[in-house]
Amino acid sequence: MTTRSSTGWTPATPVTPTSTWSQCAGRGERITLFDGTNLTEWQHTDGRTASWPRVPGGAMEVCCGDLRTRQAFGDYHLHVEFKVPLLPPDVTGQNRGNSGVYQQERYEVQILDSYGDSTLDTNEAGAIYLQKALDVNAATAPETWQTYDIDFRAARYDDAGTKTADARITVVWNGVKVHDDVEITGPTGGSIAEGPVAGSIRLQDHGNKVQYRTIWIQPEN
């Protein structure tokens, strides 16, 4: 990972996505997963009641272990808003605002402070962790709210339980498409095994004070 610097790096310009996220044609009813009021849709991965503290601005802050949704999902559109902390320059690499959004608890889209970093790598923010680097760095500065809009298609299996097609994902980060219908060939680090059953959305606790606010999901019909 390179040192964060504005030299040789220009922030990506947001564009209007080709899909209209507000319409989400072909999808079912939108489910609010977090709106600042409570954590009833979440639990810790060991079954404990969700204990991330709520903080000003209708947000919650990473603490005390990963969270996962109580519901499981197959194909869907997911909207997540997050904010990474401003850390001193001597804090580097994977210690800078690290968290992640796991699809079905199997496939992580990385969260990290990658602002000002010209490196496009598989462990940077927006990457499919250790599988595919993002196409463009769309990061905004620490302490600003950022968005992931994720279209996810689960892996397909036949009646015998054999995988017939990999999971696929499109990620729009702060209005910039950084993955366009790419295959995910298998689980990323720290994930549960692949299989034909649906899975939860998981938010990672990597020991950094990352915050989350508005989170909703719209499953496919």
Side-chain angles (χ1 to χ4, degrees):
M1 176 181 290
T2 60
T3 302
R4 269 72 179 161
S5 169
S6 60
T7 304
W9 182 79
T10 302
T13 301
V15 296
T16 301
T18 54
S19 299
T20 303
W21 303 121
S22 60
Q23 294 177 356
C24 295
R27 297 191 175 93
E29 183 178 353
R30 180 183 297 187
I31 300 169
T32 297
L33 297 177
F34 182 70
D35 63 2
T37 57
N38 59 63
L39 291 168
T40 56
E41 291 288 338
W42 302 86
Q43 62 182 352
H44 287 285
T45 55
D46 60 4
R48 287 179 293 133
T49 299
S51 59
W52 287 13
R54 280 174 282 171
V55 295
M60 60 180 172
E61 189 169 86
V62 172
C63 172
C64 320
D66 294 4
L67 291 186
R68 69 179 175 199
T69 55
R70 293 182 180 273
Q71 297 185 63
F73 303 99
D75 301 345
Y76 52 79
H77 175 78
L78 175 68
H79 174 86
V80 178
E81 299 181 13
F82 64 93
K83 181 170 67 175
V84 300
L86 178 62
L87 296 168
D90 61 332
V91 179
T92 60
Q94 295 297 296
N95 293 319
R96 291 194 65 88
N98 195 326
S99 185
V101 181
Y102 284 78
Q103 319 309 307
Q104 296 192 323
E105 291 198 85
R106 297 177 173 117
Y107 319 103
E108 180 187 2
V109 178
Q110 173 79 312
I111 286 177
L112 195 70
D113 174 15
S114 293
Y115 183 68
D117 193 339
S118 58
T119 303
L120 298 178
D121 208 343
T122 59
N123 62 0
E124 290 289 343
I128 311 304
Y129 189 65
L130 298 185
Q131 281 202 35
K132 183 185 178 297
L134 59 166
D135 294 336
V136 59
N137 185 349
T140 59
E143 296 294 338
T144 62
W145 284 104
Q146 305 190 56
T147 61
Y148 283 158
D149 279 290
I150 297 170
D151 276 328
F152 176 77
R153 182 181 186 273
R156 283 351 194 206
Y157 291 81
D158 63 20
D159 291 341
T162 301
K163 186 165 75 168
T164 58
D166 287 329
R168 306 191 71 90
I169 194 168
T170 295
V171 180
V172 174
W173 178 15
N174 296 332
V176 178
K177 189 176 288 187
V178 298
H179 298 289
D180 188 3
D181 191 30
V182 300
E183 286 188 336
I184 309 176
T185 57
T188 60
S191 302
I192 67 172
E194 281 189 309
V197 299
S200 299
I201 306 302
R202 193 204 310 175
L203 305 179
Q204 183 188 50
D205 177 1
H206 202 275
N208 294 161
K209 292 185 179 298
V210 175
Q211 294 183 8
Y212 291 88
R213 60 178 188 187
T214 307
I215 306 174
W216 53 264
I217 194 166
Q218 204 160 3
E220 294 282 353
N221 286 325

